[in-house]
DNA sequence: AACAACCTCAACCGCATCAGA
DNA sequence: GTCTGATGCGGTTGAGGTTGT
């Protein structure tokens, strides 16, 4: 935002030991700061953010530098204009994974977790509320759905209709993606893998019960 | 034109986890 | 096994822009 809004004030800074908080720059980054940060990262690589902040001569904490790099300065970052296909994928992944923005972002090349989180909060959550209100209305209208139908709906809620997509080749989806790749969590941390497998386990049990 | 209400999104915060000593 | 610093993540905030009255 406006660079005039840049202010210096005492901030709570995780990078500083207690009792030795310094005046840190905060607020919007300037082009000059971006340039300095990018220069230092090019030399030292994107790690040891505290040192990077110091070497770049920025009155910024390491965390702030990391965030700036991850969200804006990193190569191959896409900015704005989330396509319908991407939106569709975000919706599906969110149904599958919940608010695991970094996981979702990991499956949208060039997109950051922060961007997806913001997009969700400002656009998609509202959309979903609208759709839910509409579907509530239509449910009251006629409750003729069969047990099977309800089960499919439940699956859709939890799995983002991924199962449907797998079986019918994404007929209702505008986004074409490689299912093997989509379900490949092999690069995720053990915790994530555990979480995903638990999710699938519960989902399988629900299927069996139905 | 002036103001209020709402929206967007960059940035911050706190906490959890990881990795190395 | 424990401690400590670094890193990563999700929730939240707030400045600035946009829209409505």
């Amino acid at each position: 935002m406006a660079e005039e809004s840049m202010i210096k004030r005492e901030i709570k800074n995780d990078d500083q030991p207690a009792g030795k908080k310094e005046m840190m720059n905060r607020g919007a980054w300037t082009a000059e700061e971006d340039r300095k940060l990018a220069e230092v990262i090019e030399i030292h690589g994107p790690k040891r953010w505290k040192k990077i902040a110091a070497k770049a001569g920025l009155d910024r904490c390491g965390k702030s530098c990391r965030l700036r790099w991850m969200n804006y300065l990193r190569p191959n970052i896409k900015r704005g204009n989330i396509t319908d296909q991407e939106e569709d994928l975000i919706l599906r992944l969110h149904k599958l994974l919940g608010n695991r923005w970094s996981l979702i972002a990991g499956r949208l090349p060039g997109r950051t977790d922060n961007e997806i989180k913001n997009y969700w909060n400002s656009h998609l959550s509202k959309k979903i509320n609208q759709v839910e209100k509409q579907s509530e209305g239509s449910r009251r209208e006629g409750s003729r759905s069969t047990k099977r139908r309800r089960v499919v709906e439940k699956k859709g809620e939890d799995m983002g209709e991924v199962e449907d997509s797998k079986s019918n080749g994404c007929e209702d989806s505008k986004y074409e993606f490689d299912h093997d790749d989509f379900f490949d969590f092999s690069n995720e941390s053990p915790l994530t893998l555990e979480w995903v497998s638990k999710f699938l386990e519960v989902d399988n049990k629900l299927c069996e019960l139905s």
Side-chain angles (χ1 to χ4, degrees), chain A residues 24-43:
Chain A
M24 282 283 179
N25 201 353
R26 53 184 277 165
W29 281 67
T30 63
E32 178 66 9
E33 284 179 307
D34 282 347
R35 191 188 57 74
K36 283 181 182 172
L37 180 61
E39 255 177 31
V40 174
I41 289 172
E42 199 170 317
I43 297 165

Side-chain angles (χ1 to χ4, degrees), chain A residues 137-154:
Chain A
S138 59
R139 242 180 269 155
R140 277 194 209 106
E141 229 176 77
S143 53
R144 283 167 297 173
S145 51
T146 63
K147 188 183 174 188
R148 170 70 189 149
R149 171 91 182 122
R150 280 199 296 274
V151 169
V152 170
E153 277 173 358
K154 170 76 184 143

